Amino acid sequence: MTTARPDPALNPHLSELATLVKRHAPTDGLHATAIPRLVLIRASEPTLPLHALHAPALCIVAQGRKQVLLAGESYVYGPDQCLVASVDLPVTGQVVEATSARPYLCFRLDLEPGQLGALMMEARLEAPASRGRVRGLALGPVGAPLLDATARLVRLLDTPRDIPVLAPLVIREILYRLLSGENSARLRQIALADSRLESVTRAIHWLKAHYTAPLRIERLARTVHMSPSALHHHFKSVTAMSPLQYQKQLRLQEARRLMLAQAMDAAMAGHSVGYESSSQFSREYSRLFGAPPSRDIARLRESLAVTA
């Protein structure tokens, strides 16, 4: 069943947000702003799939549409929904709807769990009732109050002198709207540092710091104070993949970056990220990126040359 997509022109908050993002992100790409943790994104055409580590963030699309893949699970969203990531997740992102006349325009605000927890306690918001599976990525509707606060935050870029005083207040309002809205159960679990989610987050941080080293699940489980079976279960519940699959994605993404940015050959890149077997590296690289290392990097360089 196809649902109607909201027209930004018919929603004053969306229309204003689209206008503001377009003005402050005048060219394609990611644009850091004078407001800490706020990034604006623009694309004038659909993009190739991009493999990246998605940090905890709120993403609101003012115009266009995007698809995010997490371990085979698809999240497609546009102006009718926002995407909330609660932990660092290896994902594949792709803008699927954009033109030069109506570019993809996105607002991204990186989240700090500590700030969420303090605000939740201050507002006396109750803990979530459900203690079931908590995926680290979710879509939710974008209500008018959240859109209004989002537009007001981006509007502050027009008056830089106001940012130090007013931006923290508007960000607090945005976080409050998130904690009170459709994604509240997920975000409140983050805010309260649920023991299981906290352990998974610690495991993710450990894997990011030691992704080149051989993975011993028993050692990782001891580090985060969980049994190996509990770690595997809760890690997969949050990230949709096992710790070993997560480490593999980190390794392959970094190897791809090394080959593209530092002109390393496949053997050297694979060894640098912890692979002892070049054939295993090539097989797993092809499985993730859809082509052997040399062909994939040549394709990437060709696409970058075309868009340069």
Side-chain angles (χ1 to χ4, degrees):
M1 182 175 67
T2 302
T3 57
R5 297 181 183 179
D7 184 351
L10 301 179
N11 184 317
H13 298 308
L14 265 180
S15 179
E16 181 184 13
L17 182 59
T19 299
L20 289 166
V21 174
K22 188 181 295 186
R23 181 162 70 245
H24 292 286
T27 59
D28 287 357
L30 278 67
H31 298 261
T33 71
I35 299 174
R37 306 198 313 279
L38 173 62
V39 177
L40 304 178
I41 307 167
R42 177 173 180 152
S44 297
E45 60 184 7
T47 64
L48 293 172
L50 175 65
H51 298 260
L53 194 65
H54 201 308
L58 162 69
C59 300
I60 296 178
V61 172
Q63 190 170 273
R65 215 156 191 84
K66 185 173 185 177
Q67 175 179 262
V68 173
L69 296 176
L70 172 64
E73 297 178 359
S74 176
Y75 301 78
V76 180
Y77 65 107
D80 51 334
Q81 292 181 300
C82 65
L83 180 124
V84 178
S86 60
V87 294
D88 293 305
L89 294 169
V91 301
T92 304
Q94 182 177 18
V95 174
V96 295
E97 186 178 296
T99 66
S100 56
R102 290 179 59 81
Y104 168 82
L105 304 168
C106 181
F107 163 105
R108 190 189 83 201
L109 182 66
D110 294 335
L111 301 178
E112 291 185 355
Q115 190 176 12
L116 287 171
L119 181 59
M120 185 175 170
M121 292 177 62
E122 182 179 339
R124 298 183 179 180
L125 297 172
E126 295 181 358
S130 173
R131 308 296 283 183
R133 189 188 80 168
V134 183
R135 184 69 85 233
L137 203 64
L139 298 179
V142 185
L146 177 58
L147 271 178
D148 175 51
T150 300
R152 282 188 280 110
L153 182 64
V154 183
R155 197 189 306 154
L156 288 176
L157 296 174
D158 293 328
T159 55
R161 291 180 59 183
D162 296 338
I163 290 175
V165 174
L166 297 182
L169 301 178
V170 183
I171 290 174
R172 277 171 56 85
E173 180 182 349
I174 290 172
L175 299 180
Y176 175 78
R177 299 298 181 191
L178 284 175
L179 289 169
S180 305
E182 294 284 343
N183 284 305
S184 61
R186 182 179 313 280
L187 290 173
R188 289 185 194 187
Q189 283 187 324
I190 303 167
L192 292 176
D194 171 87
S195 60
R196 294 170 300 174
L197 185 56
E198 186 179 23
S199 295
V200 170
T201 301
R202 288 203 306 269
I204 287 173
H205 290 164
W206 190 93
L207 287 169
K208 288 171 62 181
H210 303 87
Y211 68 91
T212 62
L215 178 58
R216 302 287 183 266
I217 293 297
E218 293 77 9
R219 176 187 175 188
L220 179 57
R222 287 196 301 271
T223 300
V224 301
H225 308 295
M226 297 182 81
S227 70
S229 60
L231 171 62
H232 186 276
H233 173 75
H234 295 304
F235 194 98
K236 193 161 189 176
S237 174
V238 173
T239 68
M241 61 191 79
S242 69
L244 184 60
Q245 291 169 328
Y246 188 99
Q247 183 200 49
K248 187 183 300 182
Q249 293 232 5
L250 293 182
R251 285 180 167 186
L252 294 172
Q253 288 187 17
E254 175 61 11
R256 196 188 206 198
R257 187 195 68 80
L258 290 172
M259 287 186 287
L260 188 62
Q262 299 185 21
M264 281 191 183
D265 61 29
M268 183 178 297
H271 181 74
S272 296
V273 300
Y275 279 90
E276 295 181 0
S277 167
S278 297
S279 60
Q280 181 186 3
F281 169 68
S282 183
R283 284 196 307 272
E284 295 183 354
Y285 188 101
S286 300
R287 193 174 300 126
L288 179 61
F289 297 118
S294 58
R295 193 189 311 163
D296 175 61
I297 296 303
R299 181 179 58 187
L300 280 175
R301 287 181 176 143
E302 182 178 352
S303 66
L304 290 173
V306 169
T307 58

